[in-house]
């Protein structure tokens, strides 16, 4: 049977490390504070935002919560961000995505001071990542690197294939794997012979957004499989982009859903909040 990569355990370890760092900072008189903005009442976003605030409380980071109505104008949101940019006591600013259709997400992301961009979505953060300079790294891909490293999985020299090219996961994931000296291929909806490409992977990162799409025909014997997807199946149970039952017998290590990549995102957000003190 494969090694089950335990995101719940590893994320708990990271949160403990962050908690210690926060306690040390507090002892020196430095507080850590994250502002969390949600526009509208999308139920999934409300769950994510609630979990982020809970994690803050656990590690000792203060959180300021801004729950704005769905009709909030872009100008009003930008004005709030400008105000938070100017507040020295606010270290991180997070705007939960997706935003309502009448608001330009890119404009909102660009408005966040890059020194407070704990999501790592600002073009300056992405650019810094691409050229190997210090800056915030998007939490989900950063969490995947931690999962691999803390599970003793070597990246250097490996064939790494990423399925999906989103700005939040696929693209930064590719850059991070490259930074760790992997040989990286990014695939997407227009990739020809996808199975042939994914079967080359020693490390396969799946972020396609389609429930259980990846079956064993996509996976080389002994590969490490990282599943970024999270969906509800027909029985209302959580499942990933990978058909876990089908794939797990052929791979050497795999992340479960739930309890794999999911918990890492919030742990890395907490880590980024502490890093904001260093970057400021
Ligand atoms: N929506 C889905 N994932 C994320 C995330 O990591 N950060 C923010 N701000 N919104 C999201």
């Amino acid at each position: 049977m494969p090694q089950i990569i335990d995101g719940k355990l590893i994320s708990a370890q990271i949160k403990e490390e962050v908690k210690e760092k926060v306690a040390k900072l507090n002892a020196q008189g430095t507080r850590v504070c994250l502002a969390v903005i949600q526009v509208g009442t999308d139920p999934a976003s409300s769950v994510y935002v609630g979990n982020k605030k809970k994690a803050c409380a656990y590690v000792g980071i203060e959180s300021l919560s801004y729950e704005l109505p769905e009709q909030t104008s872009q100008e009003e949101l930008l004005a709030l961000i400008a105000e938070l940019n100017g507040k020295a006591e606010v270290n991180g600013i997070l705007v939960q995505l997706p935003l309502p259709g009448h608001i330009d997400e890119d404009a909102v992301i660009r408005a966040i001071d890059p020194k407070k961009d704990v999501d790592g979505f600002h073009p300056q953060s992405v650019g810094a990542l691409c050229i190997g300079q210090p800056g915030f790294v998007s939490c989900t891909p950063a969490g995947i690197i931690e999962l691999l490293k803390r599970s003793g999985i070597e990246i250097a020299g490996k064939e790494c294939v990423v399925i999906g090219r989103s700005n939040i996961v696929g693209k930064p994931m590719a850059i991070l794997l490259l930074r760790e000296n992997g040989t990286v291929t990014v695939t997407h909806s227009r990739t020809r012979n996808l199975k042939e490409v994914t079967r080359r992977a020693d490390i396969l990162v799946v972020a396609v957004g389609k429930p259980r799409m990846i079956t064993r025909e996509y996976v080389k014997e002994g590969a490490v499989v990282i599943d970024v997807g999270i969906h509800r199946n027909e029985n209302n149970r959580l499942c990933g982009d990978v058909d876990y039952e089908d794939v797990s017998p052929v791979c050497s290590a795999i992340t479960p859903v739930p309890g794999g990549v999911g918990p890492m995102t919030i742990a890395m957000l907490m880590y980024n909040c502490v890093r904001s003190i260093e970057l400021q």
Side-chain angles (χ1 to χ4, degrees):
M1 284 311 279
Q3 175 186 358
I4 312 294
I5 300 175
D6 190 343
K8 235 173 129 173
L9 180 77
I10 296 171
S11 66
Q13 288 166 351
I14 291 171
K15 279 190 273 183
E16 289 310 316
E17 291 163 18
V18 171
K19 193 175 177 182
E20 271 179 41
K21 281 192 190 169
V22 172
K24 274 193 193 143
L25 287 166
N26 286 349
Q28 295 161 7
T30 305
R31 310 192 67 80
V32 188
C33 174
L34 171 68
V36 181
I37 304 171
Q38 182 182 359
V39 184
T41 53
D42 173 63
S45 288
S46 299
V47 171
Y48 291 133
V49 163
N51 288 339
K52 288 169 187 181
K53 289 192 280 196
K54 243 190 266 172
C56 281
Y58 181 76
V59 302
I61 293 173
E62 282 170 56
S63 62
L64 301 176
S65 185
Y66 297 87
E67 283 154 30
L68 308 181
E70 183 85 22
Q71 325 73 274
T72 303
S73 70
Q74 182 165 321
E75 290 65 38
E76 287 169 310
L77 179 56
L78 293 178
L80 172 60
I81 293 170
E83 182 192 327
L84 296 169
N85 282 341
K87 280 192 172 165
E89 67 274 22
V90 172
N91 308 104
I93 301 171
L94 182 147
V95 181
Q96 186 65 27
L97 305 178
L99 289 166
H102 64 279
I103 297 178
D104 175 358
E105 267 179 18
D106 289 334
V108 169
I109 290 169
R110 273 198 309 276
I112 297 170
D113 181 341
K115 290 196 286 301
K116 302 188 178 189
D117 174 37
V118 286
D119 258 330
F121 295 166
H122 192 286
Q124 187 173 314
S125 305
V126 178
L129 173 64
C130 285
I131 59 173
Q133 289 184 356
F136 292 107
V137 180
S138 179
C139 300
T140 301
I144 291 169
I145 296 291
E146 286 302 310
L147 281 180
L148 292 170
K149 286 186 171 173
R150 291 174 189 240
S151 303
I153 295 162
E154 172 96 14
I155 302 168
K158 296 283 179 64
E159 289 284 345
C160 304
V161 176
V162 180
I163 315 182
R165 55 175 158 180
S166 70
N167 290 338
I168 295 184
V169 182
K171 281 181 204 157
M173 186 74 255
I175 304 290
L176 284 174
L177 289 164
L178 186 60
R179 193 166 84 177
E180 298 295 331
N181 301 306
T183 301
V184 183
T185 305
V186 183
T187 70
H188 46 78
S189 53
R190 303 284 292 272
T191 297
R192 277 179 283 160
N193 304 323
L194 179 62
K195 287 179 192 171
E196 261 170 48
V197 180
T198 58
R199 269 204 301 258
R200 292 207 299 262
D202 300 311
I203 299 173
L204 180 62
V205 179
V206 186
V208 267
K210 294 202 180 122
R212 286 181 296 178
M213 174 185 149
I214 300 304
T215 51
R216 65 170 72 187
E217 304 94 81
Y218 290 84
V219 180
K220 178 172 78 175
E221 178 99 34
V224 173
V225 178
I226 305 292
D227 188 353
V228 182
I230 186 147
H231 315 275
R232 294 246 169 224
N233 71 9
E234 51 290 352
N235 304 320
N236 208 32
R237 304 241 330 223
L238 292 173
C239 71
D241 290 345
V242 175
D243 186 336
Y244 186 90
E245 306 303 326
D246 192 53
V247 167
S248 57
V250 302
C251 60
S252 64
I254 188 166
T255 57
V257 177
V261 173
M264 295 302 291
T265 302
I266 290 184
M268 297 314 289
L269 175 67
M270 299 299 105
Y271 171 84
N272 277 352
C273 289
V274 170
R275 263 206 89 219
S276 69
I277 303 280
E278 294 157 12
L279 290 171
Q280 283 154 26

